[in-house]
Amino acid sequence: MNKNAVMALDAQYYLPVFARYPIVLERGEGPYVYDNEGKKYLDFLAGIAVNLLGHGHPGLVKAVAEQAGKLIHCSNLYYTEVQAKLVQKLAQRSGLERVFIANSGAEANEGAMKLARKYGKLQSESKVEIITAQHSFHGRTLATLTATAQEKYQKGYEPLPQGFSHVPFGDLTAMEAAVSAKTCAVLLEPIQGEGGVHVPPAGYLKAVRELCDKHGALLIFDEIQTGVGRTGTFFAYEQEGITPDIVTLAKGLAGGVPIGAFLAREEVAQAFHAGDHGSTFGGNPLACAAALAVMEAMEEEGLLDNANKLGQLLQDKLRQLAQKYPGVITTVRGRGLIVGAELAGQGRGIVEACLEKGVIINCTAGNVLRFVPPLNITAAHIEEVIAVLDGVLKEHGAF
C-alpha cells in the first residue's frame, strides 16, 4: 500500500487520538528507520525511549524468534523458566526483593499504587494519600492520569479517583508541607520526561527519601522512561545513593516488545496475597525473553558507559547550538541519553523540519526538544543529528 492509502485507512478506522506525522514506517536497522517510500531517517526518539538497542538488533531478534517458536504465552497459573530468570535478574540488579511483570508503564504504576495503598492500610485505614509532582506523567488510566498532575490529560474524565495530591517538582519545602500521617506514598520520576526533561536539584530525591522514612510513607520511583540504562546507570536512583521502596519500569525493558514491571521491598510486597493483583498477558514468555536479551546486551556491549559518554557529547553539542542561536534554544538539560533542549517558542515546526531532513526527534511540553535515542548510538550519529538541527535552526531564525 502507498502512504496515502495507509493514512486514509487510519483516518477512517482508528480512534482520532494521535496527531501523527505523515510518514509510514516500514523497517529499521540500527538507529535508522525507513518509510514505505524508501526514505531513511535517523531515529533519535526510539519509539519514545523504547528501542533501547535500536532496530533489528541480532541478539534481540534471535531471542524473540526462538521464544516465539517455543511458547509465546502461558497463563500465570503456571511457571516458566524465562519469567523466573527475568525476575531474578531484576531483583538482583535493583536490591528490591520482589517483582511483578505487567504489559506497560501505566499498568506498572497502577500496580505500584495498589500495593502502596494496601501496605498503607495495614498501618492505618486513613493512610491512603499518594503525593505526586506537578508536570509529571504516569500513564493514561484513570488512576495514573490522576497521578499525572497535568490538567490537559485529566480534562473530560472527571470525577477522578480520590486520594491524590500534587506539589511542585523539586520543591522540598512544598513536599515537607504535603507529607503527613495520611500519606501512604510519594510517587516521583527521578527525571520528568514528558513534562519537559526536568532534572531535580541536587539532593532533592535523597531528602524526599528521608522525609518518607520520617512519616512511614513509601517512596515510589517511576523509572518508566529513565530506567534500564537511559541515564547512564541501570536505575536513575542509583546516582542519588538511595533505594526506593517500589520502582516501576517499562519502555526500554524489552527493547520494543510490550512489557512493564514493578519491584518492591520484601516487607512491602507481603501486603499482597494470592488474588490481590494479576495480569493475563503480564510476564508472558515472549516479553520476558526479549527483556533478558536486552539486559544481556547492556552488559556485553557496555551500553551504560556509552549512554554516559554520548549523553555528555550530545549536551555539549546542543549547548554549542544554544550559543549559536540564543534566540531559539534557551536551556539544555538531561542525564545520560535523555536530553532536552528548551526553546523560546513552540517546537513542533522544528520537529517537522528535522523529519523532512531525515532526523526523528520530538517535542514535549510544547517547547522542549527531546532526544532519547538508542543506547548503542555512536558519536557519528550525534554529529549527523546536530548537523541537521543546525541547518533547521539557521532556516528557522529567532522566535
Side-chain angles (χ1 to χ4, degrees):
M1 296 175 66
N2 64 34
K3 179 176 75 172
N4 290 335
V6 173
M7 291 171 61
L9 277 181
D10 182 90
Q12 183 176 357
Y13 294 110
Y14 207 95
L15 276 173
V17 294
F18 296 116
R20 301 187 198 266
Y21 292 94
I23 62 173
V24 178
L25 295 180
E26 190 167 80
R27 64 183 180 90
E29 183 179 351
Y32 295 95
V33 289
Y34 298 80
D35 67 19
N36 68 345
E37 296 178 336
K39 185 173 179 178
K40 180 180 180 181
Y41 303 84
L42 180 53
D43 184 7
F44 259 51
L45 181 59
I48 313 181
V50 168
N51 302 110
L52 215 67
L53 306 180
H55 305 276
H57 185 277
L60 179 57
V61 170
K62 180 182 178 182
V64 170
E66 288 183 352
Q67 187 60 53
K70 293 189 290 186
L71 188 66
I72 293 176
H73 176 72
C74 174
S75 165
N76 281 305
L77 295 173
Y78 313 101
Y79 300 94
T80 62
E81 181 179 338
V82 67
Q83 184 187 95
K85 286 183 175 179
L86 176 59
V87 296
Q88 178 190 35
K89 276 188 171 291
L90 289 173
Q92 291 176 343
R93 192 68 185 78
S94 66
L96 299 171
E97 295 88 352
R98 295 286 180 168
V99 183
F100 182 88
I101 307 295
N103 305 285
S104 67
E107 283 187 38
N109 282 334
E110 283 271 352
M113 292 188 291
K114 283 176 65 177
L115 179 57
R117 282 264 177 91
K118 196 86 186 298
Y119 181 78
K121 284 199 169 195
L122 293 176
Q123 301 173 62
S124 169
E125 278 294 314
S126 64
K127 201 171 186 64
V128 297
E129 182 187 45
I130 297 172
I131 299 173
T132 67
Q134 294 170 6
H135 305 296
S136 62
F137 186 87
H138 300 292
R140 294 181 183 270
T141 64
L142 278 175
T144 56
L145 68 81
T146 305
T148 296
Q150 297 193 56
E151 185 180 355
K152 66 181 180 180
Y153 296 115
Q154 300 170 345
K155 189 174 181 180
Y157 299 114
E158 302 87 353
L160 300 175
Q162 298 179 342
F164 291 86
S165 64
H166 316 296
V167 298
F169 185 60
D171 186 334
L172 185 59
T173 300
M175 184 67 78
E176 288 172 338
V179 178
S180 71
K182 294 182 179 181
T183 305
C184 73
V186 173
L187 169 61
L188 296 173
E189 300 159 275
I191 296 174
Q192 290 187 329
E194 295 295 324
V197 193
H198 293 293
V199 181
Y204 171 73
L205 296 177
K206 186 174 183 180
V208 174
R209 168 75 280 180
E210 294 169 353
L211 187 62
C212 286
D213 291 341
K214 178 181 176 181
H215 290 273
L218 301 181
L219 177 60
I220 306 172
F221 282 146
D222 174 344
E223 295 234 24
I224 305 303
Q225 191 161 159
T226 58
V228 201
R230 174 62 53 189
T231 67
T233 50
F234 192 89
F235 297 97
Y237 68 73
E238 295 176 60
Q239 299 174 40
E240 306 296 329
I242 57 175
T243 303
D245 300 292
I246 306 174
V247 64
T248 59
L249 294 172
K251 287 193 179 289
L253 180 56
V257 177
I259 196 170
F262 64 94
L263 293 62
R265 288 195 295 112
E266 180 71 39
E267 178 191 352
V268 176
Q270 290 306 317
F272 269 176
H273 301 99
D276 283 348
H277 195 60
S279 172
T280 295
F281 292 102
N284 69 79
L286 189 71
C288 289
L292 284 171
V294 168
M295 294 182 73
E296 181 179 345
M298 289 186 66
E299 295 170 2
E300 294 183 351
E301 298 174 21
L303 298 189
L304 296 180
D305 288 341
N306 199 59
N308 278 311
K309 181 176 70 174
L310 273 295
Q312 188 58 59
L313 176 63
L314 178 57
Q315 286 201 50
D316 289 345
K317 294 291 184 179
L318 288 170
R319 289 194 175 98
Q320 291 173 16
L321 290 183
Q323 292 178 347
K324 187 174 182 180
Y325 304 102
V328 181
I329 298 178
T330 61
T331 309
V332 174
R333 54 181 178 262
R335 190 177 294 164
L337 283 173
I338 175 171
V339 178
E342 187 168 336
L343 306 175
Q346 295 296 295
R348 187 175 176 92
I350 291 175
V351 170
E352 290 173 344
C354 286
L355 186 66
E356 181 64 28
K357 295 179 182 295
V359 165
I360 296 176
I361 57 175
N362 92 315
C363 182
T364 188
N367 69 326
V368 180
L369 300 180
R370 176 171 48 174
F371 305 83
V372 281
L375 301 191
N376 53 5
I377 59 165
T378 67
H381 297 131
I382 289 178
E383 295 289 354
E384 185 177 344
V385 167
I386 293 298
V388 168
L389 185 56
D390 189 0
V392 168
L393 295 180
K394 185 178 181 180
E395 294 172 3
H396 185 277
F399 285 101

